[in-house]
Amino acid sequence: MSQGVAITGIGIISAIGNNVAENYASLISGKIGISKITQIETVHKNEIMVGEIAAQNDTLEKLLNLDADAYSRTPMIGIIAAQEAIANAKISNINDCTTGLISGTTVGGMDKTEQYFYDFYENDLHWNHITGLGAGDTTKKIANFIGLKESFVTTISTACSSAANAIMLGARMIKSGQLDRVIVGGTDAMSKFTLNGFKTLMIQSDTFNAPFDENRKGLNLGEAAAYLVLESDKIIARDNKKVLAYVKGYGNSNDAYHQTASSEQGDGAVLAMEKALNVAGLSPDAIDYVNAHGTATPNNDLSEGRALLRVFGANVPEFSSTKAFTGHTLAAAGGVEAVYSVLALQNNIIYPNLNFKTPMKEFDLCPETNLKQKELKTVLSNSFGFGGNCSTVIFSKEA
Amino acid sequence: MKKSVYINSVGSVSPQNTLDNSVFLDEIVNYEDTTLAVISPNYKEFIPPAAARRMAKGIKMSTASAKTALSEAQIEESAVDAIIVGTGLGCIGDSEKFIKDIIDNDEQYLTPTRFIQSSHNTVAGQIALGMGCKGHNFTYVHSSSSFESSLLDAKMQLEENEAKHILVGGVDELVDHHENTHRFIGHIKKTPVHTNALLTSKSKGAVFSEGANFFLLSNEKTNSVYSQLIALKTFNTIALERIESLATDFLSENNLSIKDIDLIVMGNNGDIEFDAYYDELSNNIFKETPQAYYKHLSGEFDTASAFGFWLANKILKNQNIPKAVQMNSIQPEKLQTILLYNQYRGENQSFVLLKGC
Amino acid sequence: MSALKLELKEKIIEQLNLEDLSVEEISDSEPLFGEGLGLDSIDALELIVMLDKDYGIKLADPKEGRKIFESIDTMAAYIEANKS
């Protein structure tokens, strides 16, 4: 059994940087990663904006010493982020204690499946990608790359809350003593599948996404991978580890309202936040900053805003969505925003909610729009997804 | 003090007649094929037509299986605290159709239904929606240990009393493109195999299939109780020469030795390339142990081990091992402790330990 | 006009998998959503695609659909006025 769940390493690759340092530099200098789509050939390229990772596949392949077209983009960016997290945690032997990997993904190897869907029938050149469609294959590749053997390795796919749920399961397994160390997070690369899927739902913006703004037009899809290393008290003591922050609380619930939309009053979101506060043993007024899900869809931001008002009453803490920087990175979003939450705690910084101009007419709620220095002890991060999935994770400086 | 975890009820949609809980493999349906489909229940008994109209096959199978489990346990839907589903590929039939639509129509005139059904968590989400269950809702998608990941999550919550009743299931569909492409790479057997001849087929690949197996796990027994879940463990990789010692370690971690195991239920799928893992156990340390197998009845799919879990539970409750699943002729003195072992193509291996109640 | 209404009913049954319904059971004036036929927001998105594909009418904002899809009558009137 472990009392605390320490975060000892973080790693990330997103549209605003290839590592933690680059991501942080972008966040504090207001450098966004949203642009017209360049890396996927799509008829919608003039109608949508996305958050792409700058590196093309061949660059990633070289970085990882892979043959051309060996892996889907999803495991490649996942490996890069997981490796950074492990290096950041100064782990020299991954198997020196009971270590696990829990990764979230929604698309897995979809980028290759859609590319070779009919080619598979014509020739055997791309048959290496046939088993890549299974989401678990992405996690397997990451596990193999980081050298995990005879280990607990699993994959969670709960749409846009996948990585948040991976963090949650990891924290529970550290607390229960089943794992000494676990790498948790998520990865999702851009694909035609998701671009077109979100297009059918008519919730993609043709311009820069504007979370919590009255005139928000929808989300920008993004791609990213982000992982945290969680370790038990035992390992922290054994290796005299530097702790970056702690996973203090977590909660998951289901809105049970609609297959894709959030409920009017944010019932599921309220339950998730309340559960997380309960696990953390904190009252709402102990939360210093909320990193909101804030996708900039009409539905999410209204529902989440109402949920914040229900949980925090008149005293909603400073909150912002960082999706105006990165786009909505789906399964990775909870991991991306966990890394940003840890950085916020370390630097006592609240990130600006970009592109916000006009408060929503339904309530009097304004996100923080400036980069703000504030002593932070706790950060609450929300991630919500299709299928009613609502997740909240609370990060803290102290155990 | 950790609470005990019980399997209180079961529901199974498979290529056998398994949905009726009053019988237990009384009549085996024999096949001679390289793929098997489930025997479709009369879905109208389980799903109102308005709700069914957009449901993928995986959701329908799961709903029938889950509702069967809930009614057997005589638990109100509102008493279910959490829903956890394991699935290798989700409702992959709709994913494939959506990809086809994208390519064939050059990204034009696409409709949302197929995309929504493609999301891996659509099964858990739609069951929650149908039941109004606002509790913990997770979906594990890790190949052949998807179901075991779900069991582990449920077990932790029930032991800590974070939930009292959790619906846990495994589901996967068998569909065209998946089947065709897996034939290309030899993961599906090239020649038809009779149900009785799977273990002697001496060929590469498996007989692919589909199914939905759901269970009510609780930290208290109901009248319908089947077994107690003692322990489980999953491994991403195991080298062949390590399997014996990891099996022994797993038992000793639970204060058991090989002679305490009354029956071992194994996931042999007749693939000569990978059945060596099972042979390593059945021909050596479990040589004197009664042995059973099931993939000749269920076929192989990512969550086929959930059918194995169904089988072990049925055996414990009925206190009999149907002839069709016996792998050796050794008869148990009692049926109290069952060890399940599964792997697929040497990966994502799992041990599960069940005890009779 | 009534030919268009019949066509719309047939298309709705097919597109939205309402096989248990016959065209006779859908009245021209009853609400398609909520109380009436019981369609939901996903059906609305399906109908928007149908307008585009079969009648060349593009809607940019799903909210516009609410008024248009109120009933068979309103749908037919909108298509008559806007089809290309």
Side-chain angles (χ1 to χ4, degrees), chain A residues 331-364:
Chain A
V336 167
E337 287 154 37
V339 167
Y340 294 169
S341 296
V342 171
L343 290 168
L345 284 168
Q346 288 185 305
N347 296 287
N348 293 304
I349 279 283
I350 291 171
Y351 311 114
N353 187 108
L354 304 179
N355 308 330
F356 174 87
K357 288 190 189 75
T358 316
M360 288 156 67
K361 66 174 186 303
E362 289 85 355
F363 44 59
D364 180 25

PDB file of all heavy atoms in Angstrom, chain A residues 331-364:
ATOM      1  N   ALA A 331      -7.791  11.085 -27.115  1.00  0.00           N
ATOM      2  CA  ALA A 331      -7.364  10.201 -26.023  1.00  0.00           C
ATOM      3  C   ALA A 331      -6.171  10.752 -25.270  1.00  0.00           C
ATOM      4  O   ALA A 331      -5.967  10.440 -24.103  1.00  0.00           O
ATOM      5  CB  ALA A 331      -7.025   8.822 -26.573  1.00  0.00           C
ATOM      6  N   ALA A 332      -5.355  11.572 -25.932  1.00  0.00           N
ATOM      7  CA  ALA A 332      -4.159  12.105 -25.274  1.00  0.00           C
ATOM      8  C   ALA A 332      -4.467  13.311 -24.390  1.00  0.00           C
ATOM      9  O   ALA A 332      -3.661  13.677 -23.530  1.00  0.00           O
ATOM     10  CB  ALA A 332      -3.116  12.493 -26.322  1.00  0.00           C
ATOM     11  N   ALA A 333      -5.635  13.915 -24.587  1.00  0.00           N
ATOM     12  CA  ALA A 333      -5.923  15.210 -23.957  1.00  0.00           C
ATOM     13  C   ALA A 333      -5.718  15.191 -22.438  1.00  0.00           C
ATOM     14  O   ALA A 333      -5.106  16.103 -21.882  1.00  0.00           O
ATOM     15  CB  ALA A 333      -7.341  15.653 -24.301  1.00  0.00           C
ATOM     16  N   GLY A 334      -6.201  14.152 -21.779  1.00  0.00           N
ATOM     17  CA  GLY A 334      -6.047  14.068 -20.329  1.00  0.00           C
ATOM     18  C   GLY A 334      -4.584  13.988 -19.911  1.00  0.00           C
ATOM     19  O   GLY A 334      -4.213  14.453 -18.829  1.00  0.00           O
ATOM     20  N   GLY A 335      -3.742  13.410 -20.764  1.00  0.00           N
ATOM     21  CA  GLY A 335      -2.305  13.319 -20.485  1.00  0.00           C
ATOM     22  C   GLY A 335      -1.618  14.649 -20.731  1.00  0.00           C
ATOM     23  O   GLY A 335      -0.812  15.118 -19.927  1.00  0.00           O
ATOM     24  N   VAL A 336      -1.964  15.270 -21.877  1.00  0.00           N
ATOM     25  CA  VAL A 336      -1.417  16.591 -22.214  1.00  0.00           C
ATOM     26  C   VAL A 336      -1.718  17.564 -21.082  1.00  0.00           C
ATOM     27  O   VAL A 336      -0.839  18.281 -20.584  1.00  0.00           O
ATOM     28  CB  VAL A 336      -2.049  17.099 -23.533  1.00  0.00           C
ATOM     29  CG1 VAL A 336      -1.762  18.572 -23.750  1.00  0.00           C
ATOM     30  CG2 VAL A 336      -1.551  16.267 -24.714  1.00  0.00           C
ATOM     31  N   GLU A 337      -2.972  17.556 -20.638  1.00  0.00           N
ATOM     32  CA  GLU A 337      -3.377  18.544 -19.636  1.00  0.00           C
ATOM     33  C   GLU A 337      -2.870  18.171 -18.244  1.00  0.00           C
ATOM     34  O   GLU A 337      -2.699  19.042 -17.389  1.00  0.00           O
ATOM     35  CB  GLU A 337      -4.889  18.756 -19.735  1.00  0.00           C
ATOM     36  CG  GLU A 337      -5.166  19.569 -21.025  1.00  0.00           C
ATOM     37  CD  GLU A 337      -6.535  19.395 -21.650  1.00  0.00           C
ATOM     38  OE1 GLU A 337      -7.502  19.261 -20.891  1.00  0.00           O
ATOM     39  OE2 GLU A 337      -6.629  19.390 -22.901  1.00  0.00           O
ATOM     40  N   ALA A 338      -2.557  16.897 -18.032  1.00  0.00           N
ATOM     41  CA  ALA A 338      -1.900  16.499 -16.776  1.00  0.00           C
ATOM     42  C   ALA A 338      -0.480  17.054 -16.741  1.00  0.00           C
ATOM     43  O   ALA A 338      -0.026  17.588 -15.729  1.00  0.00           O
ATOM     44  CB  ALA A 338      -1.871  14.978 -16.653  1.00  0.00           C
ATOM     45  N   VAL A 339       0.225  16.944 -17.876  1.00  0.00           N
ATOM     46  CA  VAL A 339       1.580  17.506 -17.951  1.00  0.00           C
ATOM     47  C   VAL A 339       1.522  19.019 -17.723  1.00  0.00           C
ATOM     48  O   VAL A 339       2.304  19.577 -16.947  1.00  0.00           O
ATOM     49  CB  VAL A 339       2.230  17.173 -19.316  1.00  0.00           C
ATOM     50  CG1 VAL A 339       3.495  17.989 -19.548  1.00  0.00           C
ATOM     51  CG2 VAL A 339       2.537  15.675 -19.407  1.00  0.00           C
ATOM     52  N   TYR A 340       0.546  19.681 -18.359  1.00  0.00           N
ATOM     53  CA  TYR A 340       0.419  21.135 -18.177  1.00  0.00           C
ATOM     54  C   TYR A 340       0.062  21.471 -16.722  1.00  0.00           C
ATOM     55  O   TYR A 340       0.510  22.490 -16.192  1.00  0.00           O
ATOM     56  CB  TYR A 340      -0.647  21.712 -19.125  1.00  0.00           C
ATOM     57  CG  TYR A 340      -0.285  21.628 -20.596  1.00  0.00           C
ATOM     58  CD1 TYR A 340      -1.225  21.904 -21.582  1.00  0.00           C
ATOM     59  CD2 TYR A 340       1.006  21.284 -21.023  1.00  0.00           C
ATOM     60  CE1 TYR A 340      -0.911  21.844 -22.937  1.00  0.00           C
ATOM     61  CE2 TYR A 340       1.330  21.205 -22.374  1.00  0.00           C
ATOM     62  CZ  TYR A 340       0.369  21.481 -23.328  1.00  0.00           C
ATOM     63  OH  TYR A 340       0.678  21.405 -24.670  1.00  0.00           O
ATOM     64  N   SER A 341      -0.725  20.623 -16.081  1.00  0.00           N
ATOM     65  CA  SER A 341      -1.100  20.875 -14.686  1.00  0.00           C
ATOM     66  C   SER A 341       0.120  20.764 -13.779  1.00  0.00           C
ATOM     67  O   SER A 341       0.299  21.567 -12.855  1.00  0.00           O
ATOM     68  CB  SER A 341      -2.184  19.881 -14.234  1.00  0.00           C
ATOM     69  OG  SER A 341      -3.368  20.069 -14.986  1.00  0.00           O
ATOM     70  N   VAL A 342       0.962  19.755 -14.031  1.00  0.00           N
ATOM     71  CA  VAL A 342       2.181  19.598 -13.238  1.00  0.00           C
ATOM     72  C   VAL A 342       3.088  20.823 -13.432  1.00  0.00           C
ATOM     73  O   VAL A 342       3.628  21.378 -12.473  1.00  0.00           O
ATOM     74  CB  VAL A 342       2.923  18.296 -13.630  1.00  0.00           C
ATOM     75  CG1 VAL A 342       4.300  18.228 -12.976  1.00  0.00           C
ATOM     76  CG2 VAL A 342       2.083  17.079 -13.257  1.00  0.00           C
ATOM     77  N   LEU A 343       3.209  21.260 -14.686  1.00  0.00           N
ATOM     78  CA  LEU A 343       4.037  22.442 -14.966  1.00  0.00           C
ATOM     79  C   LEU A 343       3.452  23.701 -14.311  1.00  0.00           C
ATOM     80  O   LEU A 343       4.201  24.562 -13.840  1.00  0.00           O
ATOM     81  CB  LEU A 343       4.158  22.658 -16.486  1.00  0.00           C
ATOM     82  CG  LEU A 343       5.012  21.621 -17.227  1.00  0.00           C
ATOM     83  CD1 LEU A 343       4.823  21.754 -18.738  1.00  0.00           C
ATOM     84  CD2 LEU A 343       6.496  21.784 -16.863  1.00  0.00           C
ATOM     85  N   ALA A 344       2.132  23.782 -14.275  1.00  0.00           N
ATOM     86  CA  ALA A 344       1.486  24.923 -13.621  1.00  0.00           C
ATOM     87  C   ALA A 344       1.858  24.946 -12.139  1.00  0.00           C
ATOM     88  O   ALA A 344       2.215  25.993 -11.581  1.00  0.00           O
ATOM     89  CB  ALA A 344      -0.032  24.844 -13.800  1.00  0.00           C
ATOM     90  N   LEU A 345       1.798  23.765 -11.501  1.00  0.00           N
ATOM     91  CA  LEU A 345       2.139  23.678 -10.077  1.00  0.00           C
ATOM     92  C   LEU A 345       3.610  24.042  -9.851  1.00  0.00           C
ATOM     93  O   LEU A 345       3.941  24.777  -8.922  1.00  0.00           O
ATOM     94  CB  LEU A 345       1.892  22.257  -9.559  1.00  0.00           C
ATOM     95  CG  LEU A 345       0.439  21.859  -9.310  1.00  0.00           C
ATOM     96  CD1 LEU A 345       0.336  20.355  -9.085  1.00  0.00           C
ATOM     97  CD2 LEU A 345      -0.146  22.611  -8.108  1.00  0.00           C
ATOM     98  N   GLN A 346       4.473  23.512 -10.706  1.00  0.00           N
ATOM     99  CA  GLN A 346       5.907  23.753 -10.531  1.00  0.00           C
ATOM    100  C   GLN A 346       6.271  25.227 -10.698  1.00  0.00           C
ATOM    101  O   GLN A 346       7.163  25.734 -10.034  1.00  0.00           O
ATOM    102  CB  GLN A 346       6.709  22.946 -11.557  1.00  0.00           C
ATOM    103  CG  GLN A 346       6.726  21.460 -11.261  1.00  0.00           C
ATOM    104  CD  GLN A 346       7.644  20.747 -12.243  1.00  0.00           C
ATOM    105  OE1 GLN A 346       7.482  20.856 -13.452  1.00  0.00           O
ATOM    106  NE2 GLN A 346       8.628  20.029 -11.710  1.00  0.00           N
ATOM    107  N   ASN A 347       5.567  25.886 -11.618  1.00  0.00           N
ATOM    108  CA  ASN A 347       5.921  27.268 -11.944  1.00  0.00           C
ATOM    109  C   ASN A 347       4.951  28.299 -11.376  1.00  0.00           C
ATOM    110  O   ASN A 347       5.129  29.491 -11.618  1.00  0.00           O
ATOM    111  CB  ASN A 347       5.998  27.429 -13.466  1.00  0.00           C
ATOM    112  CG  ASN A 347       7.105  26.592 -14.068  1.00  0.00           C
ATOM    113  OD1 ASN A 347       8.278  26.907 -13.927  1.00  0.00           O
ATOM    114  ND2 ASN A 347       6.737  25.492 -14.699  1.00  0.00           N
ATOM    115  N   ASN A 348       3.922  27.836 -10.649  1.00  0.00           N
ATOM    116  CA  ASN A 348       2.906  28.739 -10.110  1.00  0.00           C
ATOM    117  C   ASN A 348       2.351  29.657 -11.207  1.00  0.00           C
ATOM    118  O   ASN A 348       2.358  30.879 -11.103  1.00  0.00           O
ATOM    119  CB  ASN A 348       3.479  29.565  -8.952  1.00  0.00           C
ATOM    120  CG  ASN A 348       3.801  28.676  -7.773  1.00  0.00           C
ATOM    121  OD1 ASN A 348       2.931  27.951  -7.276  1.00  0.00           O
ATOM    122  ND2 ASN A 348       5.055  28.677  -7.341  1.00  0.00           N
ATOM    123  N   ILE A 349       1.891  29.005 -12.252  1.00  0.00           N
ATOM    124  CA  ILE A 349       1.432  29.727 -13.447  1.00  0.00           C
ATOM    125  C   ILE A 349       0.040  29.234 -13.866  1.00  0.00           C
ATOM    126  O   ILE A 349      -0.222  28.036 -13.852  1.00  0.00           O
ATOM    127  CB  ILE A 349       2.419  29.470 -14.620  1.00  0.00           C
ATOM    128  CG1 ILE A 349       3.641  30.364 -14.518  1.00  0.00           C
ATOM    129  CG2 ILE A 349       1.773  29.639 -15.969  1.00  0.00           C
ATOM    130  CD1 ILE A 349       3.419  31.792 -14.938  1.00  0.00           C
ATOM    131  N   ILE A 350      -0.808  30.175 -14.225  1.00  0.00           N
ATOM    132  CA  ILE A 350      -2.088  29.826 -14.847  1.00  0.00           C
ATOM    133  C   ILE A 350      -2.012  30.238 -16.319  1.00  0.00           C
ATOM    134  O   ILE A 350      -1.631  31.367 -16.630  1.00  0.00           O
ATOM    135  CB  ILE A 350      -3.252  30.549 -14.127  1.00  0.00           C
ATOM    136  CG1 ILE A 350      -3.406  29.962 -12.721  1.00  0.00           C
ATOM    137  CG2 ILE A 350      -4.550  30.408 -14.929  1.00  0.00           C
ATOM    138  CD1 ILE A 350      -4.370  30.715 -11.839  1.00  0.00           C
ATOM    139  N   TYR A 351      -2.362  29.291 -17.193  1.00  0.00           N
ATOM    140  CA  TYR A 351      -2.254  29.565 -18.634  1.00  0.00           C
ATOM    141  C   TYR A 351      -3.461  30.350 -19.119  1.00  0.00           C
ATOM    142  O   TYR A 351      -4.571  30.161 -18.623  1.00  0.00           O
ATOM    143  CB  TYR A 351      -2.171  28.246 -19.423  1.00  0.00           C
ATOM    144  CG  TYR A 351      -1.159  27.286 -18.866  1.00  0.00           C
ATOM    145  CD1 TYR A 351      -1.562  26.072 -18.309  1.00  0.00           C
ATOM    146  CD2 TYR A 351       0.199  27.601 -18.867  1.00  0.00           C
ATOM    147  CE1 TYR A 351      -0.641  25.188 -17.773  1.00  0.00           C
ATOM    148  CE2 TYR A 351       1.127  26.721 -18.334  1.00  0.00           C
ATOM    149  CZ  TYR A 351       0.699  25.515 -17.784  1.00  0.00           C
ATOM    150  OH  TYR A 351       1.618  24.655 -17.260  1.00  0.00           O
ATOM    151  N   PRO A 352      -3.242  31.180 -20.114  1.00  0.00           N
ATOM    152  CA  PRO A 352      -4.377  31.941 -20.643  1.00  0.00           C
ATOM    153  C   PRO A 352      -5.307  31.085 -21.495  1.00  0.00           C
ATOM    154  O   PRO A 352      -4.855  30.184 -22.199  1.00  0.00           O
ATOM    155  CB  PRO A 352      -3.705  33.017 -21.507  1.00  0.00           C
ATOM    156  CG  PRO A 352      -2.393  32.433 -21.899  1.00  0.00           C
ATOM    157  CD  PRO A 352      -1.971  31.529 -20.781  1.00  0.00           C
ATOM    158  N   ASN A 353      -6.591  31.364 -21.402  1.00  0.00           N
ATOM    159  CA  ASN A 353      -7.597  30.780 -22.283  1.00  0.00           C
ATOM    160  C   ASN A 353      -7.676  31.689 -23.509  1.00  0.00           C
ATOM    161  O   ASN A 353      -8.293  32.752 -23.466  1.00  0.00           O
ATOM    162  CB  ASN A 353      -8.935  30.742 -21.539  1.00  0.00           C
ATOM    163  CG  ASN A 353     -10.025  29.998 -22.270  1.00  0.00           C
ATOM    164  OD1 ASN A 353     -10.404  28.902 -21.880  1.00  0.00           O
ATOM    165  ND2 ASN A 353     -10.560  30.600 -23.325  1.00  0.00           N
ATOM    166  N   LEU A 354      -6.996  31.301 -24.566  1.00  0.00           N
ATOM    167  CA  LEU A 354      -6.901  32.188 -25.736  1.00  0.00           C
ATOM    168  C   LEU A 354      -8.230  32.285 -26.481  1.00  0.00           C
ATOM    169  O   LEU A 354      -9.098  31.431 -26.333  1.00  0.00           O
ATOM    170  CB  LEU A 354      -5.824  31.668 -26.695  1.00  0.00           C
ATOM    171  CG  LEU A 354      -4.423  31.490 -26.111  1.00  0.00           C
ATOM    172  CD1 LEU A 354      -3.473  30.934 -27.174  1.00  0.00           C
ATOM    173  CD2 LEU A 354      -3.876  32.792 -25.549  1.00  0.00           C
ATOM    174  N   ASN A 355      -8.341  33.335 -27.288  1.00  0.00           N
ATOM    175  CA  ASN A 355      -9.468  33.557 -28.211  1.00  0.00           C
ATOM    176  C   ASN A 355     -10.806  33.820 -27.517  1.00  0.00           C
ATOM    177  O   ASN A 355     -11.846  33.812 -28.161  1.00  0.00           O
ATOM    178  CB  ASN A 355      -9.653  32.375 -29.183  1.00  0.00           C
ATOM    179  CG  ASN A 355      -8.357  32.028 -29.902  1.00  0.00           C
ATOM    180  OD1 ASN A 355      -7.533  32.893 -30.129  1.00  0.00           O
ATOM    181  ND2 ASN A 355      -8.184  30.756 -30.235  1.00  0.00           N
ATOM    182  N   PHE A 356     -10.777  34.025 -26.195  1.00  0.00           N
ATOM    183  CA  PHE A 356     -12.032  34.328 -25.501  1.00  0.00           C
ATOM    184  C   PHE A 356     -12.289  35.828 -25.572  1.00  0.00           C
ATOM    185  O   PHE A 356     -11.427  36.636 -25.236  1.00  0.00           O
ATOM    186  CB  PHE A 356     -11.943  33.895 -24.033  1.00  0.00           C
ATOM    187  CG  PHE A 356     -13.146  34.296 -23.220  1.00  0.00           C
ATOM    188  CD1 PHE A 356     -14.258  33.471 -23.169  1.00  0.00           C
ATOM    189  CD2 PHE A 356     -13.168  35.494 -22.523  1.00  0.00           C
ATOM    190  CE1 PHE A 356     -15.384  33.845 -22.432  1.00  0.00           C
ATOM    191  CE2 PHE A 356     -14.287  35.874 -21.793  1.00  0.00           C
ATOM    192  CZ  PHE A 356     -15.391  35.048 -21.740  1.00  0.00           C
ATOM    193  N   LYS A 357     -13.521  36.199 -26.037  1.00  0.00           N
ATOM    194  CA  LYS A 357     -13.865  37.619 -26.093  1.00  0.00           C
ATOM    195  C   LYS A 357     -15.158  37.930 -25.353  1.00  0.00           C
ATOM    196  O   LYS A 357     -15.218  38.827 -24.543  1.00  0.00           O
ATOM    197  CB  LYS A 357     -14.008  38.064 -27.555  1.00  0.00           C
ATOM    198  CG  LYS A 357     -12.681  38.147 -28.296  1.00  0.00           C
ATOM    199  CD  LYS A 357     -12.854  38.824 -29.660  1.00  0.00           C
ATOM    200  CE  LYS A 357     -11.586  38.701 -30.490  1.00  0.00           C
ATOM    201  NZ  LYS A 357     -11.419  37.330 -31.045  1.00  0.00           N
ATOM    202  N   THR A 358     -16.176  37.101 -25.639  1.00  0.00           N
ATOM    203  CA  THR A 358     -17.514  37.433 -25.129  1.00  0.00           C
ATOM    204  C   THR A 358     -18.017  36.336 -24.189  1.00  0.00           C
ATOM    205  O   THR A 358     -18.043  35.171 -24.576  1.00  0.00           O
ATOM    206  CB  THR A 358     -18.512  37.532 -26.313  1.00  0.00           C
ATOM    207  OG1 THR A 358     -17.892  38.255 -27.351  1.00  0.00           O
ATOM    208  CG2 THR A 358     -19.802  38.199 -25.896  1.00  0.00           C
ATOM    209  N   PRO A 359     -18.420  36.713 -22.974  1.00  0.00           N
ATOM    210  CA  PRO A 359     -18.956  35.688 -22.058  1.00  0.00           C
ATOM    211  C   PRO A 359     -20.218  35.053 -22.641  1.00  0.00           C
ATOM    212  O   PRO A 359     -20.970  35.697 -23.379  1.00  0.00           O
ATOM    213  CB  PRO A 359     -19.291  36.472 -20.786  1.00  0.00           C
ATOM    214  CG  PRO A 359     -18.547  37.752 -20.897  1.00  0.00           C
ATOM    215  CD  PRO A 359     -18.387  38.043 -22.349  1.00  0.00           C
ATOM    216  N   MET A 360     -20.462  33.790 -22.290  1.00  0.00           N
ATOM    217  CA  MET A 360     -21.659  33.104 -22.763  1.00  0.00           C
ATOM    218  C   MET A 360     -22.887  33.734 -22.116  1.00  0.00           C
ATOM    219  O   MET A 360     -22.838  34.153 -20.973  1.00  0.00           O
ATOM    220  CB  MET A 360     -21.567  31.619 -22.414  1.00  0.00           C
ATOM    221  CG  MET A 360     -20.549  30.903 -23.286  1.00  0.00           C
ATOM    222  SD  MET A 360     -19.890  29.396 -22.540  1.00  0.00           S
ATOM    223  CE  MET A 360     -21.334  28.396 -22.525  1.00  0.00           C
ATOM    224  N   LYS A 361     -23.988  33.759 -22.873  1.00  0.00           N
ATOM    225  CA  LYS A 361     -25.160  34.454 -22.347  1.00  0.00           C
ATOM    226  C   LYS A 361     -25.847  33.672 -21.223  1.00  0.00           C
ATOM    227  O   LYS A 361     -26.591  34.221 -20.433  1.00  0.00           O
ATOM    228  CB  LYS A 361     -26.144  34.780 -23.468  1.00  0.00           C
ATOM    229  CG  LYS A 361     -26.793  33.584 -24.139  1.00  0.00           C
ATOM    230  CD  LYS A 361     -27.851  34.057 -25.129  1.00  0.00           C
ATOM    231  CE  LYS A 361     -28.645  32.913 -25.749  1.00  0.00           C
ATOM    232  NZ  LYS A 361     -27.852  31.901 -26.445  1.00  0.00           N
ATOM    233  N   GLU A 362     -25.565  32.363 -21.153  1.00  0.00           N
ATOM    234  CA  GLU A 362     -26.256  31.546 -20.161  1.00  0.00           C
ATOM    235  C   GLU A 362     -25.796  31.794 -18.731  1.00  0.00           C
ATOM    236  O   GLU A 362     -26.499  31.503 -17.782  1.00  0.00           O
ATOM    237  CB  GLU A 362     -26.088  30.057 -20.466  1.00  0.00           C
ATOM    238  CG  GLU A 362     -26.858  29.577 -21.687  1.00  0.00           C
ATOM    239  CD  GLU A 362     -26.094  29.781 -22.991  1.00  0.00           C
ATOM    240  OE1 GLU A 362     -25.002  30.393 -22.948  1.00  0.00           O
ATOM    241  OE2 GLU A 362     -26.586  29.336 -24.046  1.00  0.00           O
ATOM    242  N   PHE A 363     -24.569  32.261 -18.574  1.00  0.00           N
ATOM    243  CA  PHE A 363     -24.069  32.512 -17.208  1.00  0.00           C
ATOM    244  C   PHE A 363     -22.935  33.522 -17.228  1.00  0.00           C
ATOM    245  O   PHE A 363     -22.388  33.860 -18.272  1.00  0.00           O
ATOM    246  CB  PHE A 363     -23.625  31.222 -16.522  1.00  0.00           C
ATOM    247  CG  PHE A 363     -22.797  30.296 -17.391  1.00  0.00           C
ATOM    248  CD1 PHE A 363     -21.596  30.713 -17.951  1.00  0.00           C
ATOM    249  CD2 PHE A 363     -23.235  28.989 -17.634  1.00  0.00           C
ATOM    250  CE1 PHE A 363     -20.837  29.861 -18.726  1.00  0.00           C
ATOM    251  CE2 PHE A 363     -22.476  28.129 -18.430  1.00  0.00           C
ATOM    252  CZ  PHE A 363     -21.280  28.572 -18.974  1.00  0.00           C
ATOM    253  N   ASP A 364     -22.582  33.973 -16.046  1.00  0.00           N
ATOM    254  CA  ASP A 364     -21.562  35.000 -15.906  1.00  0.00           C
ATOM    255  C   ASP A 364     -20.256  34.313 -15.524  1.00  0.00           C
ATOM    256  O   ASP A 364     -19.896  34.242 -14.358  1.00  0.00           O
ATOM    257  CB  ASP A 364     -22.025  35.969 -14.809  1.00  0.00           C
ATOM    258  CG  ASP A 364     -21.003  37.070 -14.595  1.00  0.00           C
ATOM    259  OD1 ASP A 364     -20.246  37.351 -15.543  1.00  0.00           O
ATOM    260  OD2 ASP A 364     -20.971  37.630 -13.485  1.00  0.00           O
TER     261      ASP A 364
END
